[in-house]
Amino acid sequence: VLPYQRIEGALYQNLGWLICSVPESDAGAGWAAQVQGIENELSTVRDDLEDLLEAFRSEGSAAQLRQIREAEGRIESLQETRDALTERLALTSGPHITRRLRDLEAATVVKEPDRALINTMLRQLFDRVVVDYPSGFLRFQWKHGGETSVVFDCPMGIAGGG
């Protein structure tokens, strides 16, 4: 049996365990707080921009125009950051993860599993999967935080391991 076959077999055999052991998001609360902080900063920068526009209408200086452009650039940057965090929050929410896990499970139980599709699905759920040969564990590191381990082989040093 080739090493990748043991790993693939362990994934298929332990998929139920992965589905049942999804850790709570340890990043979600932090991301939500970051989004709120960005929203607060956006509000402040927008207020500042309004003041700058009002001053520019009456004075029209080049320095004010530069400040307006800087404020507009800051707003755009904050919005992009907020949108990326909001998307990450949505992708790591419980229902979204559950749906992706069900899709993954369905992809693995067919007669001829599509390895490319399964790999893509794994990449949507996990930041990485560490193959720990000495311990015989696969360590699945979830995108939303946390880790789940499954055995794929006997630890090295034990008869038949490695």
Side-chain angles (χ1 to χ4, degrees):
V1 176
L2 298 172
Y4 81 88
Q5 291 172 323
R6 288 197 314 254
I7 293 166
E8 188 176 76
L11 169 65
Y12 295 172
Q13 290 172 1
N14 291 287
L15 194 55
W17 167 249
L18 280 174
I19 291 170
C20 293
S21 63
V22 176
E24 290 293 318
S25 174
D26 57 4
W31 292 336
Q34 286 180 18
V35 168
Q36 185 59 50
I38 290 169
E39 288 292 346
N40 294 341
E41 189 173 350
L42 272 169
S43 179
T44 300
V45 175
R46 285 181 181 131
D47 289 345
D48 292 346
L49 178 59
E50 286 300 316
D51 294 343
L52 287 167
L53 289 169
E54 191 173 311
F56 183 74
R57 284 185 201 107
S58 65
E59 299 169 25
S61 76
Q64 289 169 328
L65 185 58
R66 182 183 48 74
Q67 289 175 323
I68 288 169
R69 287 185 180 141
E70 287 173 2
E72 289 172 338
R74 182 70 181 140
I75 288 171
E76 186 176 316
S77 174
L78 287 167
Q79 288 172 331
E80 288 173 5
T81 302
R82 180 206 52 206
D83 293 348
L85 282 169
T86 302
E87 181 180 339
R88 181 112 179 165
L89 271 168
L91 291 175
T92 59
S93 69
H96 184 80
I97 292 170
T98 301
R99 186 177 69 249
R100 290 201 184 268
L101 283 168
R102 285 189 190 132
D103 292 346
L104 176 61
E105 184 176 38
T108 63
V109 296
V110 296
K111 186 175 182 178
E112 297 283 330
D114 180 345
R115 286 189 177 111
L117 174 65
I118 292 168
N119 190 34
T120 298
M121 294 174 154
L122 289 169
R123 288 178 187 276
Q124 292 170 347
L125 290 164
F126 303 101
D127 277 330
R128 68 186 54 86
V129 178
V130 176
V131 180
D132 187 347
Y133 285 102
S135 73
F137 280 96
L138 296 175
R139 301 189 192 288
F140 293 84
Q141 296 175 0
W142 297 86
K143 281 197 180 285
H144 68 275
E147 181 177 284
T148 303
S149 296
V150 298
V151 174
F152 77 94
D153 198 6
C154 291
M156 290 183 159
I158 297 179

